[in-house]
Amino acid sequence: MKRTEVLKHCINVLAVALMGAIAFLFTAYGLLYKNVGFIVDNFNTLMSLAAGFSLFAVVAAILFYICGKQSLYRLTVCIMVFADICAVVFFTLCATGLFGKINSVEALRQYIQQAGKLAALIFILFSFLQVVLLPVPGSIAVAAGTAMFGPFKCSVYSFIGIVLGSVTAFAVGRLVGYKAVCWIVGQDSLDKWQEKLKGKDYLILSLMFLLPLFPDDILCFIAGLSSMTWPYFIVMITVTRAISVFTTAYSFELIPFTTWWGILIWVVLLALVAVSFWLVCKYSTEIDNFLKKKLKIKSKKQGE
């Protein structure tokens, strides 16, 4: 192995280790302020979780890098970068004492309202980046937005950012092409999903955008590489995103995590989503053929 290659590998490993250290140190220093009752009561648990997450992320990234799993390696690195950003923000909030003041949903909403339009623009930007760049599941972003703005405003802001991000991702795939999408999402992930969706880009993609767990950011880029037209994509993404965002936001508001029945409902919903995800992945060809068959039958009847 050449010296330059060894040096490159060492730099990548050190960079990953540094990102893990940053995530842990800033989180740990933030926790040390102990300016919220929840942190005081669960200090040791939170410190253990922070250390465990950082160590797990570093080890996973290094293993993926060594094994040549580039898509998983890039995804892990993106998650670590996002964790670093969150850790720095968390430390800043704790160090300034602001985190101790925002210790309830109502207080958080009041604080956000004081920030005015700037807070809304920041959340819209975050929702936009969540599709184009950040590997953050949409449900997590919507859950945080619901706590900050309430379900309706969160839904509107998320919808604006997510639709703009989806159209941007589609445009990158359509106008820039395969190589650009490969660089953004990784060739392994791109090729895998292109193979799954070959010849089924209209029907199956539309169904996937409705369900959680599917990588919506990757799917938007892939849609740009498919035969899907601009008008169809815009209408489809507007309808599916509106349904998924508003449903998710009001679900977090109406189904509490603090009661046994609320937790039970969430467990059942997650199980149904997981089953739907598995069925769509496993039987995508059969679902596509079934839907096309029904559509043809319907069109013949209408013609008669």
Side-chain angles (χ1 to χ4, degrees):
M1 187 180 292
K2 296 181 180 179
R3 182 178 297 179
T4 54
E5 291 182 0
V6 173
L7 181 62
K8 176 185 174 183
H9 296 327
C10 290
I11 291 174
N12 285 330
V13 171
L14 288 173
V16 167
L18 179 62
M19 285 187 285
I22 290 173
F24 171 70
L25 290 175
F26 275 96
T27 303
Y29 279 119
L31 292 172
L32 286 172
Y33 282 92
K34 296 182 179 179
N35 49 12
V36 176
F38 175 78
I39 294 179
V40 175
D41 296 337
N42 301 276
F43 177 75
N44 292 331
T45 302
L46 293 172
M47 286 289 281
S48 300
L49 288 173
F53 170 80
S54 300
L55 181 61
F56 176 80
V58 170
V59 172
I62 292 174
L63 287 176
F64 290 144
Y65 181 76
I66 293 174
C67 296
K69 303 290 186 181
Q70 289 299 314
S71 59
L72 292 174
Y73 168 71
R74 289 171 183 166
L75 176 62
T76 308
V77 169
C78 288
I79 292 173
M80 292 176 70
V81 170
F82 180 69
D84 287 345
I85 295 172
C86 291
V88 171
V89 172
F90 174 72
F91 168 76
T92 304
L93 292 174
C94 290
T96 56
L98 184 59
F99 196 84
K101 297 175 183 177
I102 309 174
N103 54 9
S104 71
V105 172
E106 192 56 40
L108 180 61
R109 288 179 180 175
Q110 290 178 1
Y111 176 78
I112 292 296
Q113 288 173 356
Q114 292 175 1
K117 295 180 179 179
L118 181 61
L121 290 175
I122 291 173
F123 188 74
I124 291 173
L125 177 62
F126 176 81
S127 299
F128 171 84
L129 294 175
Q130 174 251 317
V131 178
V132 179
L133 186 61
L134 300 175
V136 183
S139 56
I140 294 178
V142 173
T146 302
M148 291 188 293
F149 302 102
F152 180 74
K153 287 185 177 180
C154 166
S155 299
V156 173
Y157 299 153
S158 295
F159 176 75
I160 293 172
I162 289 173
V163 168
L164 289 175
S166 300
V167 172
T168 301
F170 182 86
V172 170
R174 179 56 48 89
L175 302 177
V176 183
Y178 179 83
K179 289 185 177 180
V181 179
C182 272
W183 185 84
I184 295 171
V185 305
Q187 186 172 1
D188 292 341
S189 295
L190 177 59
D191 291 344
K192 181 186 75 173
W193 282 102
Q194 276 194 311
E195 184 63 28
K196 283 181 179 290
L197 297 171
K198 197 172 184 180
K200 301 169 284 189
D201 44 5
Y202 276 76
L203 299 174
I204 296 299
L205 266 178
S206 302
L207 185 58
M208 285 179 171
F209 279 117
L210 274 175
L211 294 172
L213 300 181
F214 285 100
D216 293 346
D217 50 349
I218 295 177
L219 296 179
C220 287
F221 287 110
I222 291 174
L225 296 173
S226 71
S227 61
M228 189 176 291
T229 63
W230 271 102
Y232 180 87
F233 178 80
I234 291 174
V235 172
M236 180 270 294
I237 206 68
T238 300
V239 173
T240 56
R241 295 298 200 184
I243 293 172
S244 60
V245 167
F246 277 85
T247 301
T248 303
Y250 278 94
S251 295
F252 283 119
E253 183 76 5
L254 298 175
I255 307 175
F257 288 95
T258 55
T259 61
W260 68 267
W261 60 268
I263 295 174
L264 179 61
I265 291 175
W266 278 112
V267 170
V268 172
L269 288 175
L270 288 173
L272 291 173
V273 167
V275 171
S276 301
F277 176 84
W278 178 78
L279 288 173
V280 172
C281 286
K282 186 172 180 62
Y283 299 105
S284 58
T285 302
E286 290 81 357
I287 294 172
D288 184 71
N289 292 335
F290 174 79
L291 291 174
K292 285 180 178 177
K293 184 178 178 182
K294 289 295 182 183
L295 288 173
K296 285 179 182 178
I297 292 172
K298 185 177 179 181
S299 62
K300 285 180 182 179
K301 288 182 178 180
Q302 286 177 344
E304 293 172 1

